Amino acid sequence: MPSIPRACPAANATAVPLVLVLLLAAPATRVAAADTSNVLEQVIVTATREAKSRSELAESVGVVTEAQLQHIAPAHPADALNRVAGVHVNNLGGEGHMTSIRQPISTAGVYLFLEDGIPTRPTGFFNHNGLYEINVPQSAQLEVTKGPASALYGSDAIGGVINAVTKAAPESAEVNLNAELGADGWQRALVSAGNGLGADSAFRLDLNSTSSEGFREAAEYSRTSISGRLDSAFAQGWGSKTVLSYSSIDQSGVSALEEEDYRNGVQKNFYHGDIGYREVEALRLSSELAYTSNAESLVTATPFIRRNTMAMMPSWMVTYDPNIRDSEFSSYGLLLKYRRDFGRGEVILGVDADYSPSEYREERIAVQRDGEIFTGYQRTGELTYRFEAEQTSVSPYVHGELALSERWRLNAGVRYDLFEVDYQDQLDTPNTDSSHFRPQSQSRDYDNLSPKLGAVYQLAESHQLYLSYRHAFRAPTVGTLFRPGSSRDTTELEPVTSVSQEVGLRGLLGESVNYELALYDMATENDIVSYIEGRDRKTTNAGETSHQGVELSVQTAIGEAWELALSYAAMRQKYRDYAYIYGHFDVSCPCYVQENLNFAGNDISRAPESIGNVTVAYLPQWLAGLRMELEWSHIGSYFTDETNTAEYAGHDLLNLRASHTFSEDLSVYARISNLTDERYSTYTSNQVGDPDLAYRPGMPRSLFAGMRYRF
């Protein structure tokens, strides 16, 4: 396989020596050894929307801390999140991605993305690329709750919840600059500033400006993120936190490749001239008002607004139904919560309300090709869909915890979600296009009850056993309901449901070995499947799947100069009952035929059998301030379609990072991604009946370097 070394522009021959000189030069401040504190004492906010010790949680939560984010310097959310046991986020180019947490790699809306506990999108508007609407590298902490979390957060929290915690405002004046250059025109500037405002308030501003040409042809990407936070304590017992987030993302389309090009022409991209483009603007504003009348009670009210627009050309449709989609939604919501502590436990009562009007417009386009390359397009002015949908949800919940004894702690909760969607078709033309069926204007409502039950048992001073039983659900999205394509009856769809049982063990071995082991068994029912009845294609709730696995994470210091972190997960995911439409050309007719297949008993397609990550860090005593780290990232094999006749073998990657802290105010760093220049695919799939696999090639060996300075 050919080697394709990549480096910073204009620095190919000298970049590595220059970086090493910077790393090794001059005296420096001491870099602390690994944090060997008990993992049970780690503070997590996602579980109850408040700071809470991990030792009180009957669930598995992975954390990427601020110090880790600074060392990783993630160019993509995957760089940070894939260190969490059982978590895999792939890279589809730019910051595009799919997620796999106790689920296959897919675009399904089975994850909830939060910022400070507030969903970045309302129910019914899931986007599998949703993490690029969050400013990940400038977050204070990333928290991943694995498995169902619907009892607190509602729809979509089946596979897991990813919560980005914003950084608090500094008490005194502070300015931080972070400049970074890298392969393929990579440029990033991270700027942060903040200061106190009088005696009781402080603010913080963050800017993320990133651009890249991409390692493939015509694969440009850019983003601009601006966020601000205002923290205030303006009266006895009163406090507030106001957060403003804005992101603008411009993502070029990047095509999949078949075997020959994947092996020998990895830079090739069939989409040029804005084919497959995606332009996103995401604005969020929230203000949490908190009142503490005494040490036992807390009341919070958090009004919020969201405004999202997206213009995109679905790249997967350019060969058979090319179109441009313009969608937008606004949200007006309120989160109310009351927490009361009493002796040996607490009770939390809350209600979430959200009103989200939206618009959707889809226009046919004519695409131009030069051989196999798509070069451009023209708008036709012909609309296949144009509708408005207003979604309203009201969701009360209750959560309680009780310490039965010094060893036993129980928790239980239940949430009731009530949704109503008012849909209005805005086209006055006859609905005669069988490929673009349009439902009649109507209102839909559905509800769901999500209970959970958990227990934590203190085995010893530094060891815990926990058990949990959780329900989850996924409400049908607006697009699934009202943009059905050739399917009928989509407006009759009900929520997908899931039930999960989990047992875990966690604690501290000796003085420095933190560990957590989790085993889970999840069953999903009412999954959405398509089938043929007569001459009609229909969609219904009929799929059943099983998801089982074990997850292990270990972190330890080895002596004074070495750190080791390991995460590994092994999964078994099966279809229990799952229908699929198989369309193929029958030479005996000759004709194109469609038939129904059921894949009960097969492995779920694109569901890796294992996920792993190991990092070994060296912090030499002879040079204070230096840290070097080697990372092994692993994704196991998986079947590429429902028939289990084709398979991707998985891959193993090595990444190298080094940083040197000269003082509290100055540091430099560098990283080499894919150190061995492995040829690998971040997503491999094929349609049932198509023997040709489609690969999404991953980044070749690439060098990045940056500098941080604090005023």
Side-chain angles (χ1 to χ4, degrees), residues 323-325 360-363 382-385 436 483:
N323 65 79
I324 286 180
R325 302 175 177 185
Y360 179 84
R361 182 180 184 274
E362 182 176 316
E363 180 183 352
E382 181 182 355
L383 299 182
T384 51
Y385 291 97
H436 301 90
R483 198 277 173 212

Side-chain angles (χ1 to χ4, degrees), residues 267-447:
Q267 283 93 0
K268 181 180 290 186
N269 179 17
F270 297 123
Y271 302 151
H272 292 216
D274 282 339
I275 296 293
Y277 78 95
R278 188 182 296 251
E279 296 177 353
V280 178
E281 290 192 7
L283 173 69
R284 296 183 300 276
L285 174 64
S286 65
S287 186
E288 177 188 282
L289 180 64
Y291 174 61
T292 305
S293 59
N294 52 56
E296 288 77 37
S297 66
L298 172 68
V299 178
T300 62
T302 309
F304 63 86
I305 61 173
R306 293 178 289 231
R307 172 69 176 173
N308 276 53
T309 63
M310 180 168 65
M312 65 172 291
M313 182 189 303
S315 59
W316 63 93
M317 300 179 74
V318 296
T319 58
Y320 66 93
D321 184 16
N323 65 79
I324 286 180
R325 302 175 177 185
D326 294 289
S327 60
E328 61 181 72
F329 68 81
S330 300
S331 294
Y332 310 92
L334 177 65
L335 310 181
L336 292 174
K337 186 184 71 173
Y338 171 69
R339 187 251 298 156
R340 177 72 180 185
D341 296 336
F342 60 92
R344 306 178 69 90
E346 67 179 25
V347 172
I348 297 175
L349 301 173
V351 61
D352 300 343
D354 188 301
Y355 168 66
S356 296
S358 67
E359 297 181 14
Y360 179 84
R361 182 180 184 274
E362 182 176 316
E363 180 183 352
R364 293 184 192 271
I365 59 172
V367 296
Q368 289 91 45
R369 300 179 69 165
D370 182 3
E372 59 186 358
I373 304 297
F374 290 86
T375 58
Y377 68 92
Q378 289 182 334
R379 290 181 177 267
T380 66
E382 181 182 355
L383 299 182
T384 51
Y385 291 97
R386 184 176 182 178
F387 62 79
E388 296 180 355
E390 296 181 358
Q391 179 176 274
T392 304
S393 65
V394 178
S395 307
Y397 64 90
V398 59
H399 171 88
E401 300 186 15
L402 177 64
L404 294 178
S405 66
E406 292 184 358
R407 290 185 177 269
W408 280 102
R409 184 178 185 89
L410 301 182
N411 66 66
V414 64
R415 177 184 176 104
Y416 177 68
D417 288 275
L418 178 62
F419 299 91
E420 181 177 352
V421 184
D422 184 13
Y423 156 77
Q424 296 291 326
D425 182 16
Q426 299 294 308
L427 294 179
D428 55 7
T429 56
N431 186 13
T432 58
D433 185 350
S434 61
S435 297
H436 301 90
F437 178 71
R438 297 202 319 266
Q440 294 181 347
S441 298
Q442 59 188 279
S443 292
R444 284 282 288 119
D445 62 80
Y446 38 90
D447 58 2

Side-chain angles (χ1 to χ4, degrees), residues 172-311:
S172 57
E174 180 181 300
V175 177
N176 293 278
L177 303 178
N178 182 181
E180 185 174 299
L181 296 175
D184 305 302
W186 172 267
Q187 301 180 58
R188 180 165 70 179
L190 304 176
V191 182
S192 299
N195 199 0
L197 295 174
D200 301 318
S201 297
F203 76 93
R204 179 184 188 87
L205 295 174
D206 294 309
L207 169 66
N208 176 348
S209 178
T210 303
S211 64
S212 174
E213 297 173 3
F215 74 93
R216 298 178 63 189
E217 300 169 352
E220 297 84 6
Y221 160 78
S222 66
R223 80 168 295 149
T224 300
S225 292
I226 302 172
S227 58
R229 174 165 161 170
L230 176 65
D231 296 322
S232 300
F234 45 85
Q236 181 66 35
W238 289 89
S240 68
K241 179 183 69 176
T242 301
V243 177
L244 173 67
S245 299
Y246 170 80
S247 291
S248 175
I249 298 99
D250 189 351
Q251 175 79 55
S252 297
V254 183
S255 68
L257 299 177
E258 292 190 0
E259 184 82 18
E260 176 65 24
D261 289 325
Y262 170 65
R263 297 297 177 190
N264 302 305
V266 71
Q267 283 93 0
K268 181 180 290 186
N269 179 17
F270 297 123
Y271 302 151
H272 292 216
D274 282 339
I275 296 293
Y277 78 95
R278 188 182 296 251
E279 296 177 353
V280 178
E281 290 192 7
L283 173 69
R284 296 183 300 276
L285 174 64
S286 65
S287 186
E288 177 188 282
L289 180 64
Y291 174 61
T292 305
S293 59
N294 52 56
E296 288 77 37
S297 66
L298 172 68
V299 178
T300 62
T302 309
F304 63 86
I305 61 173
R306 293 178 289 231
R307 172 69 176 173
N308 276 53
T309 63
M310 180 168 65

Side-chain angles (χ1 to χ4, degrees), residues 603-682:
D603 287 353
I604 296 177
S605 60
R606 280 83 74 180
E609 64 177 8
S610 58
I611 299 171
N613 186 280
V614 176
T615 60
V616 178
Y618 177 53
L619 297 82
Q621 301 293 299
W622 50 268
L623 183 59
L626 176 65
R627 178 189 175 98
M628 302 186 70
E629 177 189 274
L630 183 66
E631 176 188 18
W632 170 69
S633 181
H634 164 78
I635 186 76
S637 63
Y638 56 82
F639 290 108
T640 57
D641 73 1
E642 292 80 354
T643 66
N644 289 182
T645 54
E647 186 176 11
Y648 175 66
H651 58 257
D652 297 276
L653 304 177
L654 290 177
N655 304 307
L656 181 65
R657 292 179 174 86
S659 62
H660 190 242
T661 303
F662 294 94
S663 68
E664 292 183 355
D665 299 325
L666 177 64
S667 64
V668 296
Y669 61 91
R671 66 181 183 274
I672 301 177
S673 300
N674 192 4
L675 183 65
T676 59
D677 203 25
E678 178 80 8
R679 182 62 45 84
Y680 70 102
S681 174
T682 64

